[in-house]
C-alpha cells in the first residue's frame, strides 16, 4: 500500500466496502441463512431493474428535481434568515425564539403539516425539503457568522459597502466553507424528506417505487428501489461537493 | 428606528427582550388563527387547552416512542462505535473505514423503512430498526473522524511505554476519541426521536408518530401541534441530559486542554 497514490487507495477502499456488502448478500442467499422473501437473490433484483427500467428515469428525475429545488430554496432562505438575524439587532431579537425552537424541532414531524396544508400539490415535497434544509442551514450559518473575522466586514464598510453589499460580498462567501458540512447533512435531509413525502402520499418518484415494492410484496423491486435511492443520494452529494469545492477554492489558498 | 431607540433596546434586560419577542410571535399566531389565514389553525389558548387536557395520552404515546428511540439509539451507538474501532486498527482498513463513513453519510435512512416494515411488521421492531440504522450512520461518521484525528504521538508514547499492539491501541484510541464521539452521540440521540416518529407513521399501533398520522387523517391540527410540542420538549430534554452527562465524562479532556 505504501507509495500508492491516495486516490487509488480510496478507490480500492470503496471497492472493498461495496464488495463486502455484495459478498455478504450472496453468502446469506446461498446458505439460506435468510429466506428469499426477506432478502431477494441478487439476480431477482437485477431482473427488477430490467422491469422498472422504463419508468425509472421519470421517477428518478421527479425525486431529484424536488430535492434540488427544495434544497436550493431552503439553503437560500436559511442563509438569508441567519444574515438578517446577524446584521439587524431588531431581527436578531425577534428571530431568537423561533431559531431557539428549531434547535430541538424534529424535522420529520413537519411531514403531516405539509400534507395538511399543501396536499398533493407540486410544491408540497419541495416545501418539505426546503423546510428541512432551512432548519439545518439557519443554525449552521448563525454559528458560522459569529466567527467570521471582523476585519473583512469592517474593511468593506470603511470602503462604503452598505448592509446588502456586505451581506452578499463578505458575509455569505465567508461562511460557505464553515457551513459546507452542514449543507451536505441538509442535502441528505432533503432527500429523506422527499422520499418520505412520496412514500406517505404515493406521489410518483423513488419514494413511491419503495412503498409500492412493500405494498405489493415485490421484495426485489423494493431492494432495487433502495439501491436507486442510495445511488441518487450519493450522486447529489458528489455534485454538491464539486460545487462547494469550486465555491470555496479561495479558502484553501 | 433611530439610534436612541436602538440604544434603549440594547439597555433592556435580555430576558425582557426574549419575553417581548415571544409575546409578539404569540400575537401573530393569534392573529393568523382569528383571521383563518392558516387553515385549521387553533388560537394559542385553544392549543394550550388541548395540550394540557390531553397530556396523559400524549405522555403515554411519548413514552412508547421514547422507548423505541432509546433502544434503537443504544443499538446504533454500539454499532457506530465498535465498527470504526475495529476498522481503525490497521492502516489499510482505515481507508475502508473512511469509505464506509462516506457511504453512511449519504444513505437516506428513510429508504430502509419499507424493508424494516416487511421484516418486522407494524410492531416496535420497525421503528427500533430504523432508529438503530439512522443513528449508527451518524455515529460511524463521527467515530471515523475522531479516530482519524487521534494524534499518532499518543500511540507512539504508549508503544514506548510497553503498550504496543491492540492493547496500546485500545488504551489510547478509546479515550482519545471519546470527546468527539460524545458530540456525535448527542446529535444521534437528538435524531433518535424524529426517526422513531418517522418509523411510527406507517409501522406502529401507538406512539407520537401514530397519533400524528391519525390526526392528519382526521384533520385535527390541535392534536398535531400538541404532538410536535411534546416531541420538541423531549428532544430538548434528551439534549440537556446528554450535555450534562458528556461534560462529566470528558472533564479530563477539558482540563488537559486548559493546561
Amino acid at each position: 500500500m505504501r507509495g500508492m497514490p491516495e486516490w487509488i487507495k480510496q478507490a480500492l477502499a470503496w471497492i472493498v466496502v461495496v464488495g463486502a456488502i455484495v459478498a455478504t448478500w450472496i453468502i446469506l442467499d446461498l446458505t439460506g441463512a435468510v429466506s428469499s422473501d426477506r432478502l431477494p437473490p441478487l439476480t431477482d433484483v437485477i431482473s427488477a431493474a430490467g422491469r422498472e427500467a422504463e419508468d425509472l428515469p421519470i421517477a428518478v428525475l421527479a425525486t431529484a428535481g424536488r430535492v434540488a429545488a427544495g434544497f436550493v430554496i431552503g439553503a437560500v432562505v436559511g442563509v438569508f434568515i441567519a444574515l438578517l438575524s446577524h446584521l439587524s439587532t431588531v431581527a436578531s431579537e425577534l428571530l431568537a425564539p423561533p431559531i431557539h425552537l428549531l434547535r430541538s424541532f424534529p424535522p420529520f414531524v413537519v411531514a403531516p403539516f405539509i400534507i395538511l396544508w399543501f396536499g398533493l400539490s407540486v410544491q408540497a415535497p419541495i416545501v418539505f425539503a426546503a423546510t428541512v434544509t432551512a432548519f439545518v442551514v439557519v443554525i449552521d450559518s448563525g454559528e458560522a457568522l459569529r466567527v467570521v473575522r471582523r476585519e473583512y466586514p469592517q474593511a468593506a464598510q470603511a470602503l462604503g459597502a452598505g448592509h446588502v453589499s456586505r451581506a452578499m460580498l463578505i458575509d455569505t462567501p465567508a461562511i460557505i466553507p464553515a457551513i459546507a458540512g452542514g449543507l451536505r447533512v441538509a442535502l441528505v435531509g432533503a432527500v429523506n424528506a422527499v422520499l418520505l413525502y412520496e412514500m406517505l402520499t404515493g406521489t410518483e418518484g423513488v419514494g413511491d417505487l419503495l412503498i409500492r415494492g412493500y405494498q405489493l410484496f415485490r421484495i426485489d423491486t423494493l431492494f432495487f428501489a433502495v439501491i436507486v435511492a442510495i445511488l441518487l443520494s450519493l450522486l447529489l452529494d458528489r455534485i454538491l461537493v464539486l460545487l462547494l469545492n469550486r465555491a470555496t477554492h479561495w479558502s484553501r489558498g | 428606528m433611530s439610534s436612541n431607540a436602538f440604544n434603549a433596546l440594547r439597555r433592556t434586560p435580555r430576558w425582557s427582550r426574549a419575553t417581548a419577542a415571544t409575546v409578539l410571535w404569540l400575537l401573530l399566531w393569534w392573529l393568523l388563527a382569528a383571521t383563518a389565514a392558516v387553515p385549521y389553525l387553533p388560537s394559542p389558548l385553544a392549543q394550550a387547552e388541548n395540550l394540557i387536557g390531553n397530556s396523559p395520552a400524549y405522555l403515554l404515546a411519548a413514552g412508547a416512542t421514547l422507548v423505541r428511540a432509546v433502544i434503537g439509539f443504544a443499538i446504533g451507538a454500539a454499532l457506530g462505535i465498535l465498527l470504526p474501532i475495529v476498522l481503525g486498527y490497521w492502516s489499510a482498513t482505515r481507508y475502508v473505514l473512511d469509505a464506509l463513513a462516506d457511504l453512511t453519510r449519504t444513505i437516506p435512512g428513510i429508504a430502509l423503512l419499507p424493508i424494516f416494515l416487511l421484516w418486522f411488521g407494524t410492531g416496535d421492531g420497525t421503528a427500533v430498526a430504523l432508529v438503530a440504522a439512522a443513528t449508527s450512520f451518524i455515529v460511524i461518521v463521527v467515530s471515523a473522524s475522531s479516530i482519524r484525528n487521534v494524534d499518532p504521538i499518543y500511540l507512539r508514547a504508549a508503544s514506548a511505554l510497553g503498550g504496543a499492539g491492540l492493547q496500546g491501541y485500545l488504551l489510547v484510541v478509546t479515550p482519545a476519541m471519546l470527546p468527539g464521539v460524545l458530540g456525535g452521540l448527542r446529535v444521534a440521540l437528538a435524531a433518535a426521536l424524529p426517526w422513531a416518529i418517522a418509523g411510527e407513521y406507517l409501522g406502529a399501533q401507538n406512539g407520537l408518530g401514530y397519533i400524528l398520522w391519525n390526526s392528519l387523517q382526521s384533520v385535527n391540527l390541535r392534536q398535531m401541534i400538541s404532538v410536535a410540542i411534546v416531541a420538541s420538549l423531549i428532544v430538548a430534554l434528551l439534549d440537556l441530559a446528554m450535555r450534562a452527562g458528556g461534560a462529566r465524562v470528558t472533564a479530563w479532556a477539558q482540563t488537559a486542554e486548559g493546561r
Side-chain angles (χ1 to χ4, degrees), chain B residues 117-128:
Chain B
L117 273 169
L118 210 69
W119 285 352
F120 304 109
T122 51
D124 292 336
T126 297
V128 169

Side-chain angles (χ1 to χ4, degrees), chain A residues 6 38 93-94 108 117 233, chain B residues 17 25 39 95 106 119 201:
Chain A
E6 201 67 10
R38 291 185 168 240
E93 298 294 345
L94 270 175
F108 290 132
W117 285 323
S233 185
Chain B
R17 282 180 281 158
W25 282 103
Y95 282 93
T106 46
W119 285 352
Y201 282 150

Side-chain angles (χ1 to χ4, degrees), chain B residues 68-156:
Chain B
R68 290 172 188 136
V70 171
I71 295 173
F73 167 75
I75 299 168
L79 202 72
I81 294 173
L82 290 177
L83 198 62
I85 286 182
V86 173
L87 288 174
Y89 181 57
W90 299 277
S91 60
T93 49
R94 234 166 275 156
Y95 282 93
V96 175
L97 175 60
D98 286 343
L100 183 72
D102 231 16
L103 177 69
T104 51
R105 190 202 305 272
T106 46
I107 290 180
I110 205 75
L112 304 175
L113 176 59
I115 293 184
F116 294 143
L117 273 169
L118 210 69
W119 285 352
F120 304 109
T122 51
D124 292 336
T126 297
V128 169
L130 191 65
V131 174
T135 51
S136 73
F137 295 163
I138 298 170
V139 183
I140 284 174
V141 171
V142 179
S143 300
S145 131
S146 302
I147 289 176
R148 207 182 308 122
N149 292 335
V150 172
D151 197 333
I153 201 164
Y154 293 141
L155 284 166
R156 285 203 291 272

Side-chain angles (χ1 to χ4, degrees), chain B residues 3-4 9 23 33 36 51 72 84 86 91-92 94 101 112 124 150 152 154 167 201 210 217 221 224:
Chain B
S3 60
N4 282 345
L9 185 69
V23 169
L51 184 64
V86 173
S91 60
R94 234 166 275 156
L112 304 175
D124 292 336
V150 172
Y154 293 141
Q167 189 196 9
Y201 282 150
Y210 175 77
Q217 312 290 335
L221 188 58
M224 286 166 66

Side-chain angles (χ1 to χ4, degrees), chain A residues 105-140:
Chain A
F105 195 82
F108 290 132
V109 167
V110 180
F113 290 89
I114 298 283
I115 296 171
L116 182 71
W117 285 323
F118 294 91
L120 301 179
S121 61
V122 177
Q123 63 267 36
I126 297 172
V127 174
F128 187 19
T131 311
V132 171
T133 305
F135 276 15
V136 179
V137 176
V138 167
I139 307 287
D140 270 23

Side-chain angles (χ1 to χ4, degrees), chain B residues 154-175:
Chain B
Y154 293 141
L155 284 166
R156 285 203 291 272
S159 174
L161 292 167
L166 183 64
Q167 189 196 9
Y169 170 76
L170 289 176
L171 280 173
V172 170
V173 168
T174 316

Side-chain angles (χ1 to χ4, degrees), chain A residues 159-242:
Chain A
L159 291 167
H163 274 317
V164 177
S165 358
R166 179 195 146 172
M168 296 291 289
L169 300 172
I170 306 292
D171 291 314
T172 308
I175 61 168
I176 289 178
I179 65 167
L183 284 172
R184 287 180 71 189
V185 173
L187 180 66
V188 181
V191 174
N192 275 318
V194 171
L195 290 178
L196 180 63
Y197 177 86
E198 289 169 352
M199 278 199 269
L200 293 176
T201 58
T203 307
E204 188 178 36
V206 179
D208 178 47
L209 193 65
L210 282 161
I211 209 67
R212 255 194 299 133
Y214 161 67
Q215 284 166 343
L216 303 173
F217 293 103
R218 297 300 300 260
I219 193 157
D220 47 1
T221 306
L222 172 53
F223 271 75
F224 170 65
V226 171
I227 294 169
V228 170
I230 293 171
L231 288 178
L232 175 64
S233 185
L234 253 172
L235 177 72
L236 291 173
D237 178 68
R238 292 295 116 172
I239 294 171
L240 179 65
V241 169
L242 215 72

